[in-house]
Amino acid sequence: MFLCLHVASSISVGAPLGCLFIAFSLDRIGRISTFKFSLWPCVIGWMLIALAFNPNIIIIGRLLTGFSMSVGTNSANVYMAEISSPKLRGSMMSIGSVMLSFGVLSMYCTGLYLHWRVVAWIAFVGAFLPILMTAFWTPESPVWLIHKGQDVKALKSLKYFKSSKHSVGVQESFNEMKNIKEKKDLLINKDIENSNVFRRIAWNLSKPTVFKPALFMIVFFVLQQFTGIYTFQFHAIKMLQEVTQGINIKYATLLFGLFRFLLSFVATGMLHNYGRRPLCMISGIIMGITLFISGLCFYLRSQGDDSIIIAWVSLLCMLLYISAGSVGIMLIPWILPSEMFPTEVKGLFIGPIMAWCNAVMFVAVHFYEDLKGILGGMLGILWFYSFISILSVFFVWLFIPETHKKKLSEIEDYFKDNTLYLLRKKKTVKNEQL
C-alpha cells in the first residue's frame, strides 16, 4: 500500500519542479520552445518505466513524466491563450483536456488486458509523436515575439495563424499588440526588470493586476484539489471498489474513463458557448449533490442494506460527479491563470502558481488514506468532498471574474478596480487587442 501511494503521488512531486522551471523558461526561451523541451523528459520517463527493474526506477520515470506534464501543459495553455481570439480561446485551451481524457481512457483499456510494460511502451510512442509534429510546425507566439522586440518574426507568426481571407487584419493586429507593448514599456521599472527573480516577483505583487489573480488562484486550486476530483482520478479503482460494491470493477473503471473522454468533447463545446463562472458553479453544485447521495448510499449499505439498486445509484452518482467535474472544476482553473495574468508576467507567475497547485495535489493524493482515517472512513471522505464542492461554488460566485469572450487587456483592466465580482464597476472597456 505504501509503495502504491508513492508511485501514485510521485507524479505530483515532479510537477511542481516543472512549474518552477517554466517561471524561468517561458519568458527567456519562449512559449513553444518551452513546450518542445518538455517532450523529452516525457519520452525518457516512459522509457524508464517500460525498462524498470525495480520500483525506484518506476518512481524516477513518474517524476520525469510529472515534470514534463506540468511544463508541457502550462506552456501550451499560455501559448493557446496568446494565439487564440477571445471567442475561441476557451475551446482551444480545452483541447489538452480532450487529449488527456483520451490518454486516460487508453491506459484504462490497455491496462486491463495488457502487461504494464506494454502499456508503458504505448505511452512512449504517444509521447514521441509530438516531437515530430512540433519539429515542422507551430511558430512562436507573436505576443511573446513582440515583447522581445522580434517584430519581423512576430509579423510572420501572425500571418501563419490568420487565413488568407483575414490577411488584411494581420497588420492591424500587429499594430495593436505593438501599441499595448509600447504603453506598458513606459510603466516598466528598468532597474526591477534587470534585478533577480525574487525582487521582480515582490515588485509585481504590489500591482492589483497581479496579486489579485494570484491570490484567487491560490485559494481556487486548494478548493479544486479537495473536491476530490483528482484524488479520484489517481485512486479510481480503489475508490470505486468501496463506493460501488457489487458491480464489476473493471467495467466500472472503463465506464469512468469513457465518460470522462466523452465529456471532454462536451466541455470544449461548452467553453466555446458559455462562461467560465456558470460552468464552474453548475459543476460544483452537481459534484456536491452527487457526492452527498453517494455518501448516503454508503451509509445505508454500512447499516446492512445490500440492495443492488443502492450499488447502481452509487455508480451513477460517481459517474455524474466525474462528468460534472470534467466540464468545470477539473478543467477551468487550469485555464484561468493564462487568461488572468498580464502578458509580461505570465512566465514569472504561472510557474509558481501551478507549482502550488501540484504541491496541493500531492498532499491531497498522497495523504488520501490519512485524511480518510481522520474523517472516519469513506463516508467522511465523500461528505467532506461534497462540502468543499459547494464551498467552491460560493468562492467562484464571489471572486472569480468572467473571462469568456474577453480580450486579455479587458481582463487585466478588470483587476485594476475590482475585487468582488458581484460589486464590480461597470465601465466602457477600451478597444484594445490582447
Side-chain angles (χ1 to χ4, degrees):
M1 177 66 72
F2 184 70
L3 178 60
C4 290
L5 283 173
H6 273 297
V7 172
S9 59
S10 57
I11 194 170
S12 297
V13 176
L17 298 176
C19 292
L20 294 176
F21 171 78
I22 66 173
F24 298 93
S25 65
L26 274 179
D27 286 339
R28 285 169 173 76
I29 67 174
R31 296 10 178 170
I32 201 64
S33 298
T34 299
F35 177 77
K36 289 178 181 178
F37 171 82
S38 74
L39 298 172
W40 291 103
C42 188
V43 169
I44 296 170
W46 280 114
M47 183 176 66
L48 287 176
I49 293 171
L51 298 173
F53 52 84
N54 67 50
N56 291 329
I57 301 299
I58 296 177
I59 291 174
I60 292 172
R62 293 276 288 176
L63 288 171
L64 286 171
T65 55
F67 175 89
S68 173
M69 178 191 71
S70 63
V71 175
T73 54
N74 290 306
S75 57
N77 277 343
V78 173
Y79 182 71
M80 297 300 291
E82 292 181 348
I83 68 170
S84 305
S85 67
K87 185 177 180 180
L88 295 174
R89 192 169 58 235
S91 53
M92 291 291 286
M93 291 173 70
S94 67
I95 291 174
S97 177
V98 176
M99 296 296 100
L100 177 62
S101 299
F102 175 72
V104 170
L105 178 60
S106 300
M107 292 300 100
Y108 282 162
C109 292
T110 54
L112 288 174
Y113 302 104
L114 300 176
H115 191 274
W116 62 269
R117 291 189 188 275
V118 177
V119 175
W121 282 118
I122 293 172
F124 169 84
V125 174
F128 191 77
L129 289 176
I131 293 176
L132 300 177
M133 295 176 64
T134 55
F136 300 102
W137 294 292
T138 57
E140 187 53 80
S141 161
V143 177
W144 181 82
L145 290 170
I146 287 174
H147 274 266
K148 291 297 179 181
Q150 301 180 36
D151 293 356
V152 175
K153 291 183 178 179
L155 194 58
K156 184 178 179 181
S157 179
L158 275 172
K159 289 178 180 178
Y160 177 88
F161 288 116
K162 287 186 177 288
S163 62
S164 56
K165 66 179 181 179
H166 295 113
S167 57
V168 178
V170 171
Q171 189 64 47
E172 182 181 347
S173 296
F174 175 82
N175 291 338
E176 289 175 345
M177 294 179 188
K178 188 73 174 174
N179 288 337
I180 293 174
K181 194 258 182 183
E182 289 172 353
K183 289 179 183 178
K184 289 186 175 182
D185 282 347
L186 297 175
L187 303 175
I188 291 176
N189 185 320
K190 297 298 182 182
D191 291 334
I192 296 294
E193 284 298 299
N194 295 326
S195 63
N196 63 67
V197 65
F198 300 105
R199 191 180 175 198
R200 287 169 59 205
I201 289 175
W203 186 78
N204 280 291
L205 280 174
S206 65
K207 303 176 184 177
T209 54
V210 177
F211 78 76
K212 288 179 184 178
L215 181 60
F216 291 163
M217 293 316 304
I218 286 171
V219 177
F220 199 10
F221 276 126
V222 173
L223 293 173
Q224 178 203 48
Q225 293 304 322
F226 285 98
T227 62
I229 196 70
Y230 277 96
T231 305
F232 184 81
Q233 178 177 304
F234 281 93
H235 297 290
I237 294 177
K238 184 165 52 179
M239 292 180 73
L240 284 173
Q241 281 176 333
E242 290 191 65
V243 176
T244 61
Q245 292 178 8
I247 294 177
N248 188 306
I249 195 61
K250 286 187 176 182
Y251 296 115
T253 306
L254 281 177
L255 200 58
F256 155 68
L258 181 62
F259 258 62
R260 180 178 173 183
F261 177 56
L262 295 176
L263 263 294
S264 63
F265 284 100
V266 175
T268 300
M270 294 182 78
L271 282 169
H272 179 69
N273 295 297
Y274 302 101
R276 316 290 191 253
R277 281 170 54 82
L279 287 178
C280 272
M281 288 189 286
I282 293 171
S283 169
I285 290 170
I286 295 175
M287 290 167 65
I289 293 172
T290 53
L291 284 168
F292 180 81
I293 295 174
S294 293
L296 189 60
C297 291
F298 188 88
Y299 173 76
L300 292 174
R301 193 164 57 245
S302 68
Q303 298 300 307
D305 190 341
D306 292 327
S307 171
I308 190 65
I309 295 176
I310 290 181
W312 278 102
V313 169
S314 297
L315 177 60
L316 177 62
C317 284
M318 295 307 292
L319 290 174
L320 287 173
Y321 162 71
I322 197 64
S323 299
S326 297
V327 299
I329 298 295
M330 179 182 279
L331 173 62
I332 291 175
W334 298 99
I335 293 175
L336 290 176
S338 297
E339 294 184 315
M340 295 200 303
F341 281 111
T343 299
E344 65 272 16
V345 301
K346 281 180 182 175
L348 194 62
F349 281 90
I350 286 180
I353 289 294
M354 292 304 180
W356 165 257
C357 175
N358 283 282
V360 177
M361 184 191 296
F362 171 77
V363 172
V365 173
H366 187 75
F367 295 102
Y368 161 71
E369 292 290 346
D370 299 271
L371 181 62
K372 188 168 72 170
I374 293 170
L375 296 173
M378 181 55 70
L379 178 62
I381 277 284
L382 291 171
W383 284 353
F384 173 75
Y385 288 160
S386 174
F387 170 75
I388 297 298
S389 297
I390 298 300
L391 187 61
S392 69
V393 174
F394 284 101
F395 179 79
V396 172
W397 182 58
L398 288 172
F399 296 109
I400 300 299
E402 185 55 74
T403 60
H404 181 52
K405 295 185 179 179
K406 294 285 194 301
K407 295 176 182 178
L408 298 183
S409 58
E410 294 175 5
I411 300 168
E412 183 177 348
D413 285 340
Y414 165 85
F415 285 112
K416 290 178 182 177
D417 305 309
N418 301 279
T419 301
L420 282 173
Y421 186 76
L422 298 178
L423 301 178
R424 67 192 182 279
K425 298 177 182 177
K426 297 182 180 179
K427 62 180 180 180
T428 303
V429 179
K430 297 176 183 178
N431 184 26
E432 295 178 340
Q433 177 67 31
L434 294 176

